[in-house]
Amino acid sequence: MKRAIVVVIDSMGIGAMPDCAEFNDIPECNTLANICKYNKGLNLPNMAKLGLGNIQDFEGVPKETNPIGQYGTLQEKSKGKDTTTGHWEIADLVSEKPFATFPNGFPEKLVNDFINETKCGGILANCPASGTAIIEKLNDEHHQTKFPIVYTSADSVFQIAVDTDMIPLETLYEWCRIARKLLDDGGYHVSRVIARPYKVIDGKPTRIGKDRRDYSVEPTGETVLDRIKQSGGEVIAIGKIEDIFSKAGITHAIHTGSNKEGLELTLKAIKNELDLNSIKYESTPKDFVPNKSLIFTNLVDTDMLYGHRNDPVGYGRAVEEVDEYVGKIIDAMNDDDLLVITADHGCDPTVPGTDHTREYVPVLYYSKNIEPKDLGLTLGFDNISKEIEKWIF
């Protein structure tokens, strides 16, 4: 059975795109290169073997004379620099219209509709903010009023934070579903509603990553995931892939609490050690025998824990952890497997600001019998979906 394995290292961009100024970014943005420089080099031997260091100069990542993979740079076609836009384009859905952002907070009508529909009594914040900073600032008021903390960022997101020791997690999720419907019905064109649960641990408000959920707008067209599923294949979504595609084109899904968990689950899926019955959708037949397979993994820690928090040291450690597992993944692959390693946008922690950055992304391809090649610069993340289809159909 032909199988493709796609690993998205969330936000690991490799240089500002020519139109970066339109997205309020500076030409100096280069997430991976700047992280390598800040850490005086990263140890990435497995991705180096695939050809990562041949794409451009990344301190500590040597150029490989005899790479074992294909390597190159992808330029985004879509108008955006967010998770949804990037992943959709990887899956062959280009977004011509950018998602809406709210630099002055959400409109009064939307806020009032949300309060009325959820019966939450009121909201706090309603402004662009760093998630960790806003929950620290408003935690006491949140406890006094029990109002959710609603905020956005430079990206197209409607984020809702609550202390789940006070407001149940399922209530938070229901409020997010209500927000998603209001945004869709009202034509606001917002990419994601994000549930941001937290708890006060040792006196400090702390976000609980494993319980985060993203409620994305439904894909506006068909993706390679749909085509694989419709043709009798399985699509195993690991991490927040299920949320990004609103479950469309997916047969099995499992959320993760960390990159390490996502990498472990990916490795288990490759080794056929993952209990697929426990994570399959109800719509997936009990006696389902797939004729092809896509394992699609998002590794969010690089973006969520380190990019947005301006932590290049943590980011560097996270990339090194991914690289360690790349070696294990390669060892576990069989002759019918194609590995794709890429990113969805940038989030350079070394430049001013805490938001995503409009960047090129790397792409690395590997299979047992692949012809090593420098792919150069290619327009469109959707080239990945074309390679997947060539491989498994």
Side-chain angles (χ1 to χ4, degrees), residues 31-159:
T31 300
L32 182 57
N34 287 339
I35 288 162
C36 287
K37 183 178 179 181
Y38 189 94
N39 287 283
K40 296 181 172 54
L42 292 182
N43 183 32
L44 309 175
N46 295 301
M47 285 190 277
K49 287 178 188 174
L50 295 176
L52 180 64
N54 295 29
I55 296 173
Q56 61 177 263
D57 291 331
F58 300 117
E59 189 170 336
V61 184
K63 295 188 184 301
E64 180 61 51
T65 306
N66 297 301
I68 62 172
Q70 297 183 356
Y71 51 91
T73 300
L74 297 178
Q75 179 174 342
E76 191 166 14
K77 293 178 182 175
S78 299
K79 298 299 182 183
K81 57 173 183 176
D82 60 273
T83 296
T84 301
T85 303
H87 281 76
W88 283 9
E89 187 166 318
I90 288 168
D92 199 30
L93 184 57
V94 175
S95 303
E96 302 290 349
K97 178 183 176 183
F99 288 113
T101 56
F102 299 86
N104 300 310
F106 299 108
E108 185 177 357
K109 183 182 185 309
L110 175 60
V111 170
N112 289 337
D113 288 346
F114 176 78
I115 293 169
N116 292 334
E117 290 287 330
T118 60
K119 299 178 174 58
C120 65
I123 69 166
L124 303 177
N126 190 24
C127 61
S130 159
T132 50
I134 202 72
I135 63 173
E136 285 191 17
K137 178 181 178 181
L138 296 177
N139 178 62
D140 290 344
E141 191 174 355
H142 172 55
H143 277 251
Q144 291 163 6
T145 62
K146 297 191 177 178
F147 294 167
I149 301 168
V150 175
Y151 63 104
T152 186
S153 73
D155 298 314
S156 183
V157 289
F158 186 108
Q159 304 186 85

Side-chain angles (χ1 to χ4, degrees), residues 291-311:
N291 56 21
K292 58 184 73 69
S293 179
L294 170 64
I295 300 167
F296 200 170
T297 299
N298 171 274
L299 303 174
V300 74
D301 288 359
T302 38
D303 183 57
M304 181 179 71
L305 297 183
Y306 308 116
H308 286 300
R309 298 184 189 178
N310 297 131
D311 182 358

Side-chain angles (χ1 to χ4, degrees), residues 24-301:
N24 300 312
D25 295 318
I26 58 176
E28 290 77 14
C29 290
N30 188 322
T31 300
L32 182 57
N34 287 339
I35 288 162
C36 287
K37 183 178 179 181
Y38 189 94
N39 287 283
K40 296 181 172 54
L42 292 182
N43 183 32
L44 309 175
N46 295 301
M47 285 190 277
K49 287 178 188 174
L50 295 176
L52 180 64
N54 295 29
I55 296 173
Q56 61 177 263
D57 291 331
F58 300 117
E59 189 170 336
V61 184
K63 295 188 184 301
E64 180 61 51
T65 306
N66 297 301
I68 62 172
Q70 297 183 356
Y71 51 91
T73 300
L74 297 178
Q75 179 174 342
E76 191 166 14
K77 293 178 182 175
S78 299
K79 298 299 182 183
K81 57 173 183 176
D82 60 273
T83 296
T84 301
T85 303
H87 281 76
W88 283 9
E89 187 166 318
I90 288 168
D92 199 30
L93 184 57
V94 175
S95 303
E96 302 290 349
K97 178 183 176 183
F99 288 113
T101 56
F102 299 86
N104 300 310
F106 299 108
E108 185 177 357
K109 183 182 185 309
L110 175 60
V111 170
N112 289 337
D113 288 346
F114 176 78
I115 293 169
N116 292 334
E117 290 287 330
T118 60
K119 299 178 174 58
C120 65
I123 69 166
L124 303 177
N126 190 24
C127 61
S130 159
T132 50
I134 202 72
I135 63 173
E136 285 191 17
K137 178 181 178 181
L138 296 177
N139 178 62
D140 290 344
E141 191 174 355
H142 172 55
H143 277 251
Q144 291 163 6
T145 62
K146 297 191 177 178
F147 294 167
I149 301 168
V150 175
Y151 63 104
T152 186
S153 73
D155 298 314
S156 183
V157 289
F158 186 108
Q159 304 186 85
I160 309 173
V162 302
D163 182 343
T164 53
D165 283 335
M166 185 175 66
I167 294 173
L169 189 61
E170 189 47 53
T171 299
L172 171 60
Y173 292 162
E174 178 58 23
W175 288 353
C176 288
R177 287 189 283 267
I178 289 170
R180 180 74 268 168
K181 187 173 189 307
L182 289 170
L183 291 165
D184 292 344
D185 291 350
Y188 290 98
H189 198 53
V190 170
S191 172
R192 287 178 293 158
V193 176
I194 306 179
R196 294 289 196 179
Y198 74 92
K199 295 177 182 287
V200 178
I201 300 173
D202 297 328
K204 182 179 176 62
T206 304
R207 296 202 301 202
I208 310 301
K210 68 181 178 64
D211 292 331
R212 165 187 168 158
R213 293 291 183 272
D214 292 40
Y215 298 79
S216 289
V217 65
E218 291 187 5
T220 54
E222 186 181 75
T223 70
V224 68
L225 282 65
D226 296 309
R227 293 192 284 276
I228 292 170
K229 182 178 178 179
Q230 290 162 8
S231 65
E234 67 182 9
V235 178
I236 302 169
I238 298 175
K240 63 179 184 177
I241 297 296
E242 172 186 42
D243 294 342
I244 294 166
F245 290 91
S246 294
K247 301 186 177 181
I250 293 169
T251 60
H252 303 74
I254 184 167
H255 283 268
T256 58
S258 67
N259 277 7
K260 186 174 181 62
E261 184 182 2
L263 289 160
E264 287 284 356
L265 289 168
T266 303
L267 194 56
K268 283 186 176 182
I270 294 167
K271 293 179 176 180
N272 297 310
E273 295 174 355
L274 197 58
D275 181 7
L276 294 180
N277 282 328
S278 68
I279 63 169
K280 73 179 182 61
Y281 286 170
E282 288 185 8
S283 59
T284 304
K286 289 183 179 179
D287 56 351
F288 180 50
V289 180
N291 56 21
K292 58 184 73 69
S293 179
L294 170 64
I295 300 167
F296 200 170
T297 299
N298 171 274
L299 303 174
V300 74
D301 288 359

